[in-house]
Amino acid sequence: MTDHIYKKIELTGSSTAGIQEAIENAVSKASQTIRDMRWFEVVETRGHIADGKIAHWQVTIKVGFSLSE
């Protein structure tokens, strides 16, 4: 069995459509430069209100990825 070593980074994604899209935007952008991403955890959810309506969602996540051997 191979031992795995992971590193965690914190990202904040945003979206006008909702929480899931904000998470997907953060993961998608990170995947352009970070290899071997394995998991994420949501650590904070917040939004921006404009004219009495939700204008933007912001979701902060921690992403774990495997370090190369």
Side-chain angles (χ1 to χ4, degrees):
M1 178 178 206
T2 304
D3 292 330
H4 297 280
I5 305 298
Y6 298 97
K7 180 175 178 106
K8 283 197 300 188
I9 59 169
E10 191 170 278
L11 306 168
T12 300
S14 64
S15 169
T16 56
I19 294 169
Q20 182 168 338
E21 186 172 289
I23 294 167
E24 291 173 356
N25 288 343
V27 170
S28 176
K29 184 67 173 177
S31 72
Q32 294 175 10
T33 58
I34 299 169
R35 295 178 294 143
D36 299 324
M37 289 189 294
R38 300 290 186 218
W39 48 266
F40 74 91
E41 61 183 287
V42 175
V43 295
E44 185 176 40
T45 304
R46 62 182 174 271
H48 173 74
I49 299 170
D51 298 322
K53 297 180 183 176
I54 297 171
H56 233 92
W57 289 95
Q58 295 177 333
V59 180
T60 300
I61 61 174
K62 289 185 180 181
V63 176
F65 59 95
S66 180
L67 295 177
S68 300
E69 294 183 30

